[in-house]
Amino acid sequence: MTDEKLNPLLDQFKQRMKIYHSAEDKNLSRILTASQKRVTDITGIASNAGDDVYDELVLERARYAYNDQVEFFDTNFLDDLLSASLISYEPGMMKMNRPEFEYKAPPVRTNQLNTPVRFFRTVKNAGPEPGRGQTEQIFECLGLVYDPSTKDRTVLTTHESKYGATVKIRDTFGEFDPTTKDTVVIDDHRYLDTTGQPIVWDVIQVAPDLENNQLVKVVLGVTK
């Protein structure tokens, strides 16, 4: 049986995503190939055309797919896809073969918000004894937890975080607003430390989710 041929954009994608191992090479290659097919279907540009704009779109769609956000790619890159499609247009092509776009707000998929997330905050000592106060759990919810995007990794690097995670939670519209003074525990076996205890994450950044205004994005890091 012959080895599976890896996608020619694999090294470039791994460099962009700061992936330094080869354990995921076959999966990443499949993601890139699927992204090439999708971008080719939309723009009409062949995967072997050597087009820099095409390759950039493929890499970006693969990034979305790798972070389990692929359903947002077409909407977020609508202008770029249309521009590439028009550039590759050849007279005589049937209109029915060209892509048609209609903006649709990304849905809130409840089944994606399935990981328990707990927020903690240090409460000032109300008694006469001096001290910093106690750390108390202030909120608990289900969230979508995934590896940080390239943009989130830049934020984590700025804060000298050793490693990080990104979580999306429903916007409570005032009931609870996470802050960078909070800490977070993700109740999932994949987020345990070397002793088997839950990692205590610092909140590095809180931002509205530009892809869905019903969600809030929280970037988490470990800085100690």
Side-chain angles (χ1 to χ4, degrees), residues 74-91:
D74 288 0
T75 298
N76 290 346
F77 285 84
L78 176 61
D79 290 343
D80 301 278
L81 290 165
L82 282 173
S83 295
S85 178
L86 290 172
I87 291 172
S88 68
Y89 176 79
E90 296 180 5

Side-chain angles (χ1 to χ4, degrees), residues 116-214:
V117 180
R118 293 181 287 149
F119 289 81
F120 295 82
R121 187 172 296 172
T122 299
V123 180
K124 292 184 179 179
N125 193 341
E129 296 295 329
R132 182 185 176 192
Q134 295 182 337
T135 299
E136 299 180 356
Q137 179 176 319
I138 56 170
F139 190 69
E140 182 175 8
C141 63
L142 295 176
L144 168 64
V145 183
Y146 58 93
D147 289 337
S149 65
T150 301
K151 182 178 178 181
D152 295 344
R153 291 179 191 275
T154 301
V155 173
L156 291 166
T157 300
T158 302
H159 287 78
E160 299 182 347
S161 299
K162 294 189 293 185
Y163 41 91
T166 301
V167 58
K168 290 187 178 183
I169 63 174
R170 288 189 184 277
D171 191 340
T172 63
F173 299 101
E175 177 185 345
F176 168 71
D177 295 316
T179 75
T180 54
K181 295 181 180 180
D182 299 337
T183 54
V184 172
V185 167
I186 302 170
D187 291 320
D188 187 296
H189 70 276
R190 293 168 293 184
Y191 298 96
L192 302 177
D193 62 21
T194 55
T195 67
Q197 297 299 312
I199 296 171
V200 178
W201 302 85
D202 295 317
V203 175
I204 304 299
Q205 183 185 69
V206 180
D209 183 6
L210 300 180
E211 296 164 345
N212 193 316
N213 61 12
Q214 297 185 52

Side-chain angles (χ1 to χ4, degrees), residues 89-134:
Y89 176 79
E90 296 180 5
M93 292 181 67
M94 295 181 64
K95 184 177 178 181
M96 64 178 294
N97 290 332
R98 308 308 296 169
E100 295 183 2
F101 293 94
E102 178 183 356
Y103 175 79
K104 295 181 180 180
V108 177
R109 296 170 58 180
T110 305
N111 63 338
Q112 288 184 310
L113 306 176
N114 55 14
T115 303
V117 180
R118 293 181 287 149
F119 289 81
F120 295 82
R121 187 172 296 172
T122 299
V123 180
K124 292 184 179 179
N125 193 341
E129 296 295 329
R132 182 185 176 192
Q134 295 182 337

